Amino acid sequence: MKKLFAVALGILTAIGGFVDIGDLVANGLVGARFGFSLAWVVIVGIIGICVFAEMSGRVAAVSGRATFDLIRERLGPRVGLLSLAASMAVTLLTLAAEIGGVALALELVTSVNPYLWMPVVGATVWIVLWRVRFSVLENVFGLAGLALIVFAVALWQLGPDWSALWESASHPAVPEGETLPVYFYYAIALFGAAMTPYEVFFFSSGGVEEGWSEKDLGVMRANVFIGFPLGGLLSLAIAGVAAVVYFPQGIQVDSLSQVGLPVGIALGKLGLAFALLGFFAATFGAACETGLSVGYSIAQYLGWQWGKFVEPLRAARFHTVILVSTIVAVGMLLTTADPIMLTEYSIVFSAVALPLTYFPILVVANDRTYMGKHVNGRLANTLGTVYLFVVVVASVAAVPLMILTRAGQ
């Protein structure tokens, strides 16, 4: 029963923790502009994150060592530093976007200007990361994020033409008034939102924090292969309600309030309250995960003591990195950068950094020195290689498409 409970809790937290500000913004915006014609990208992204999250979790469970610890040792300090720099630049941008997302969620509840909330949110994130236990952090915000299931309920309540949605998803086409470059720009944005680098860093480092071993591989895989896809369905539900309410009217989504409005239309104030709870839990939880990912990765590469299981004074440099990165993220926001636009940039640049994030994981997962009998099998290598090709294509195309389309305008 204890193991069954651990599996169930892990799956639930994986579902609730899958969606962050990038998924909220990207799916709402894309659903409003393209209907369900980009749903295939979400599915491709879900499969991809499952492939590499399973690899990184397996590496952590079998070797007992975290991602950047092994990357530096296996690929050398120069390649490791290149991977670290690319991943951390994107993760820091994502941290700013997540803190901005929390501030926007609080604005919807309080009507207080989000720029007044941003320093408060940043300070709260750091205090939580400094003082709150890892298990509490992971489970509380993951479970609270399940409130986003209200989007699936709202989609059902709106009574859409399901056959039309299926036709749009199964026979994707560029809608009238949109161009092919813009279509593929947002396809890359959705892909980047689903496969953000911090997710695998947090997942594998969390496994080391919790002392995973080979006996935990089954629980880890259940979390990945059940929890992540179900979390991906929440992303599709967010796109779905936007496609039903906004797409026929030609209305574009450019604020977090517009993402939640279809829930209010379908379910009233109570449904909207659940959506706001989901917004807050998803973005605050993701801000904590992203902040930890910055600290994890830098400390692991430099060989410092790290982790929330260690007393803060013994991991002072780890916590200092988290503090400094949080201050920098809040500083970026206080330049009056639009949090929604910052989110869009963060998910596109996530796609740019993906090859340097996932190639080292694929290499380490094939190394028998670390993995023994748990090295990648034929299926894992086939999927890993295919997705590595996909992320390289997305990485190469992202910036030219951003310039060509003026960031999707």
Side-chain angles (χ1 to χ4, degrees):
M1 284 298 297
K2 185 177 180 180
K3 189 167 186 178
L4 182 62
F5 177 76
V7 172
L9 183 62
I11 290 171
L12 290 174
T13 54
I15 295 169
F18 183 87
V19 180
D20 63 4
I21 187 64
D23 297 287
L24 290 170
V25 170
N27 283 280
L29 191 155
V30 165
R33 286 189 65 167
F34 299 94
F36 234 38
S37 65
L38 281 168
W40 63 272
V41 179
V42 177
I43 296 171
V44 170
I46 291 168
I47 296 171
I49 193 63
C50 285
V51 168
F52 284 101
E54 189 279 334
M55 282 187 207
S56 64
R58 178 161 35 94
V59 168
V62 173
S63 69
R65 297 168 64 185
T67 302
F68 269 101
D69 182 17
L70 293 175
I71 286 175
R72 179 188 172 102
E73 182 177 305
R74 178 64 178 80
L75 299 180
R78 292 184 179 179
V79 175
L81 182 60
L82 179 63
S83 177
L84 177 70
S87 299
M88 288 305 96
V90 171
T91 303
L92 189 59
L93 188 63
T94 305
L95 175 59
E98 302 295 353
I99 292 174
V102 180
L104 291 176
L106 290 172
E107 179 198 22
L108 295 179
V109 176
T110 64
S111 298
V112 174
N113 189 298
Y115 292 99
L116 296 178
W117 278 117
M118 289 167 186
V120 177
V121 172
T124 306
V125 167
W126 179 72
I127 291 170
V128 167
L129 294 181
W130 182 39
R131 301 300 302 173
V132 177
R133 288 187 303 170
F134 185 87
S135 58
V136 174
L137 173 67
E138 185 179 32
N139 294 332
V140 167
F141 291 106
L143 292 174
L146 289 173
L148 292 173
I149 290 174
V150 74
F151 277 91
V153 178
L155 180 58
W156 182 269
Q157 189 66 26
L158 286 168
D161 184 341
W162 294 103
S163 62
L165 283 180
W166 172 251
E167 179 69 19
S168 177
S170 59
H171 296 81
V174 180
E176 186 176 349
E178 301 287 356
T179 65
L180 198 60
V182 171
Y183 180 85
F184 281 112
Y185 171 78
Y186 281 109
I188 290 174
L190 269 184
F191 187 65
M195 295 192 65
T196 44
Y198 82 85
E199 292 177 334
V200 293
F201 300 148
F202 176 78
F203 187 68
S204 62
S205 298
V208 176
E209 291 257 39
E210 295 180 335
W212 286 354
S213 64
E214 293 182 26
K215 66 180 181 180
D216 297 304
L217 288 174
V219 175
M220 180 273 293
R221 286 172 174 146
N223 294 346
V224 171
F225 294 132
I226 301 176
F228 281 17
L230 290 176
L233 290 179
L234 293 184
S235 297
L236 288 174
I238 293 166
V241 295
V244 171
V245 173
Y246 296 126
F247 180 64
Q249 309 300 323
I251 300 173
Q252 294 192 25
V253 169
D254 55 15
S255 69
L256 192 61
S257 61
Q258 287 178 291
V259 176
L261 182 60
V263 175
I265 293 172
L267 301 174
K269 292 182 178 179
L270 182 60
L272 190 57
F274 272 93
L276 293 176
L277 173 61
F279 287 167
F280 174 80
T283 52
F284 194 92
C288 291
E289 293 179 3
T290 311
L292 279 174
S293 295
V294 176
Y296 283 150
S297 301
I298 292 175
Q300 288 162 15
Y301 177 82
L302 295 174
W304 296 344
Q305 180 70 271
W306 60 273
K308 288 184 62 57
F309 63 91
V310 180
E311 292 180 4
L313 287 178
R314 293 178 54 206
R317 289 178 291 188
F318 166 73
H319 285 283
T320 300
V321 168
I322 294 175
L323 173 60
V324 171
S325 62
T326 304
I327 292 172
V328 171
V330 172
M332 292 168 61
L333 290 165
L334 292 181
T335 62
T336 67
D338 179 4
I340 297 297
M341 185 59 68
L342 190 64
T343 300
E344 292 183 30
Y345 285 140
S346 73
I347 56 181
V348 171
F349 285 117
S350 287
V352 175
L354 288 180
L356 290 171
T357 300
Y358 291 122
F359 172 69
I361 293 173
L362 182 62
V363 171
V364 172
N366 274 287
D367 195 323
R368 290 190 180 275
T369 304
Y370 306 110
M371 302 301 296
K373 65 180 181 180
H374 294 287
V375 292
N376 277 1
R378 184 174 300 175
L379 178 60
N381 274 333
T382 299
L383 289 173
T385 303
V386 168
Y387 268 91
L388 190 61
F389 174 77
V390 172
V391 299
V392 168
V393 171
S395 174
V396 170
V399 173
L401 283 175
M402 176 182 282
I403 296 170
L404 180 63
T405 66
R406 291 182 298 170
Q409 295 180 13

